[in-house]
Amino acid sequence: MRPINLLPPEALERAKARRRRWVWIAGGVAFLALLAAATVWFDGKVSERQDRLDDELAVVVQLEAEVAGLGDFANLKNEFENNKFILEAALDRDVVWGRLLNDFGRMLPDRVWLTSFTGQVNTDPLVPAIGEITVSGVGFDFPDISAWLRSLDSSTFPSVDQTWVSSISAGEIGEVPVVDFVSSTFLTAGSLSDRLALRIPETP
Amino acid sequence: MNRSSLLLVVLGLILVTAVWFVFFISPKRGEISDIDDDISATQTAADGLRGEVGRLKDIRDSELTYRRAIADVQNSIPATPELAAFIEEVNLLAIETDVSVSSLTPSPPVTLLEGQLFQPLTINIDAQGQFFEVLGFLYGLQDLERLVKVDSISLTAIVDEAGNQEMSLNLTGSIFTLATDLPAPSLAPLTPDEPTPTTTTTVPEEAAAGVAGDGGDT
């Protein structure tokens, strides 16, 4: 059966307008609800981050307490470093004279012998040379002094460098002709001791 | 609804969204960003502290090594000059190496520079012996528990009364002490040109090798 609407068309329009208003209101409410939800979600994120920060801060506090508890060992380390510094300063340019003399004895050419030996360390740290050795010696002939120079400047004697002979003069011992000479040489890093390494143990 | 109404609604929505963003979301985003920065800084601090804790635990595990090293340094460079003990040590070394020490001259303390942590005390030793005995004496000085640093040596060949060839050794070096408040005799000289006073211990040639341990002042 065909429906028959007896209401005037204005009533129908009003009803449509009412429905449309409700749709708009519902849309508006939904939109506001969406914004509110987004706000709550952001609040949650802030809260979550804050909790994480609190956890991290708690960890820091715990670690700080642990560091404070181990403070004696920090003091121990400081005392060690202080002593190490003192030892380093005291052993600056520490030459091993015993080894140096022993090496001189070994390196001396057969026909040369020394009558005096003077070694001096430059204690002034501004002077680049570690120190100097001056010797007086005797050889049988001039080539013996050349042998002396070659011997000291050879790579097998790294403790000294730049050896020089400042004078060679002919002389006699009894009736034997000899040559007296005066020579100097500079100490190198090879002449330094390893006492610092020996007296300071490896530490973490 | 006509187009202008729809445009107004859309503009209204945009406006509300913008207001919402500016007044609600933007501050929260700033807050999150700040907290993230704080978390990052805290994590960095925590990492540093973890490293520090690890380092301190390593030191704790090696405590004996540290304490032994500190004790060694304190024996090498004692808190007081301990001159008497040093003289005895040199005497013992001279006897062991068969070197005859004829004099030992320790210089008195000097005024320290500001910030100087230790006091070097200059010593001068005269000794005689065969070449290898002198070598042994020099090696021995270096091996003493008390730190001795030799800065200069002078060796001269000599012939003793029996006609044997010997070496005459003169060395200058330093021993060290942590005492920084020692009296400095040079502070009040009697006359401006008076030389710095020194204490000399001399042993006669005929006496037993070595320096008499006289228990000098410390």
Side-chain angles (χ1 to χ4, degrees):
Chain A
M1 203 165 131
R2 194 174 161 201
I4 298 171
N5 191 352
L6 298 177
L7 291 171
E10 290 82 7
L12 201 63
E13 281 299 316
R14 274 201 301 273
K16 272 177 82 176
R18 206 179 304 124
R19 270 203 308 275
R20 208 176 292 128
R21 200 162 47 241
W22 278 113
V23 166
W24 278 109
I25 289 170
V29 169
F31 174 71
L32 289 177
L34 188 69
L35 295 188
T39 308
V40 169
W41 185 74
F42 267 98
D43 273 342
K45 279 184 79 172
V46 170
S47 178
E48 177 206 328
R49 291 289 211 289
Q50 189 62 52
D51 289 348
R52 208 171 131 200
L53 177 61
D54 290 345
D55 290 346
E56 294 290 344
L57 285 171
V59 169
V60 166
V61 168
Q62 184 202 334
L63 287 169
E64 280 174 345
E66 213 168 335
V67 167
L70 294 166
D72 286 348
F73 299 104
N75 295 337
L76 184 69
K77 175 78 172 174
N78 287 341
E79 191 180 357
F80 170 80
E81 291 296 337
N82 194 34
N83 281 327
K84 186 179 166 186
F85 175 76
I86 288 172
L87 208 55
E88 281 171 349
L91 284 175
D92 184 38
R93 294 187 173 179
D94 180 39
V95 171
V96 200
W97 292 107
R99 190 182 69 203
L100 201 69
L101 269 175
N102 197 23
D103 288 347
F104 258 88
R106 275 191 311 111
M107 300 299 292
L108 212 56
D110 288 341
R111 290 160 55 86
V112 172
W113 64 97
L114 301 183
T115 52
S116 74
F117 173 103
T118 304
Q120 173 81 45
V121 173
N122 286 323
T123 49
D124 183 355
L126 298 176
V127 178
I130 292 169
E132 192 178 359
I133 289 173
T134 306
V135 298
S136 298
V138 183
F140 283 107
D141 205 349
F142 286 90
D144 298 334
I145 313 308
S146 298
W148 153 264
L149 282 171
R150 288 195 188 96
S151 180
L152 256 68
D153 277 346
S154 72
S155 59
T156 53
F157 194 12
S159 299
V160 295
D161 196 16
Q162 301 178 49
T163 307
W164 193 255
V165 172
S166 54
S167 79
I168 309 171
S169 56
E172 281 183 353
I173 297 178
E175 293 182 353
V176 181
V178 293
V179 286
D180 299 308
F181 71 96
V182 176
S183 177
S184 63
T185 188
F186 289 97
L187 296 171
T188 65
S191 65
L192 299 179
S193 79
D194 57 355
R195 281 202 287 178
L196 191 62
L198 293 175
R199 289 186 183 232
I200 297 177
E202 286 290 325
T203 51
Chain B
M1 180 179 278
N2 57 23
R3 286 184 64 178
S4 60
S5 299
L6 189 64
L7 192 66
L8 275 176
V9 168
V10 170
L11 283 176
L13 285 178
I14 290 171
L15 185 67
V16 169
T17 307
V19 169
W20 168 78
F21 188 84
V22 169
F23 288 101
F24 290 94
I25 299 307
S26 190
K28 291 195 191 307
R29 279 165 56 97
E31 203 175 336
I32 287 172
S33 175
D34 289 347
I35 294 174
D36 280 346
D37 289 347
D38 288 348
I39 288 172
S40 179
T42 310
Q43 282 174 337
T44 305
D47 287 344
L49 285 167
R50 273 190 205 97
E52 179 73 0
V53 168
R55 194 179 67 86
L56 292 174
K57 281 182 176 171
D58 285 344
I59 294 169
R60 184 186 62 189
D61 295 343
S62 307
E63 184 183 0
L64 278 179
T65 307
Y66 279 97
R67 293 211 182 279
R68 195 165 49 237
I70 289 168
D72 283 350
V73 173
Q74 285 167 353
N75 288 332
S76 302
I77 305 178
T80 57
E82 294 185 15
L83 189 56
F86 173 69
I87 292 169
E88 284 169 359
E89 281 187 85
V90 172
N91 180 50
L92 194 63
L93 176 64
I95 292 169
E96 282 175 356
T97 54
D98 203 17
V99 162
S100 171
V101 174
S102 53
S103 78
L104 193 161
T105 311
S107 295
V110 295
T111 307
L112 293 182
L113 301 172
E114 197 176 325
Q116 202 170 339
L117 296 173
F118 61 96
Q119 166 103 254
L121 302 168
T122 304
I123 52 156
N124 188 286
I125 296 176
D126 282 313
Q128 291 84 39
Q130 300 284 329
F131 178 71
F132 286 104
E133 293 161 351
V134 170
L135 273 191
F137 183 73
L138 287 171
Y139 275 121
L141 271 182
Q142 194 178 18
D143 286 342
L144 288 180
E145 192 175 28
R146 178 71 181 265
L147 190 68
V148 182
K149 183 175 172 243
V150 177
D151 289 325
S152 74
I153 69 169
S154 174
L155 277 167
T156 311
I158 57 166
V159 178
D160 69 7
E161 291 166 354
N164 299 320
Q165 187 122 27
E166 284 202 329
M167 307 296 291
S168 170
L169 167 71
N170 173 267
L171 69 83
T172 304
S174 302
I175 56 175
F176 305 89
T177 176
L178 295 176
T180 53
D181 54 351
L182 295 171
S186 58
L187 279 177
L190 294 173
T191 60
D193 296 324
E194 189 177 354
T196 305
T198 58
T199 306
T200 302
T201 307
T202 305
V203 177
E205 285 283 334
E206 61 271 17
V211 180
D214 62 358
D217 294 337
T218 56

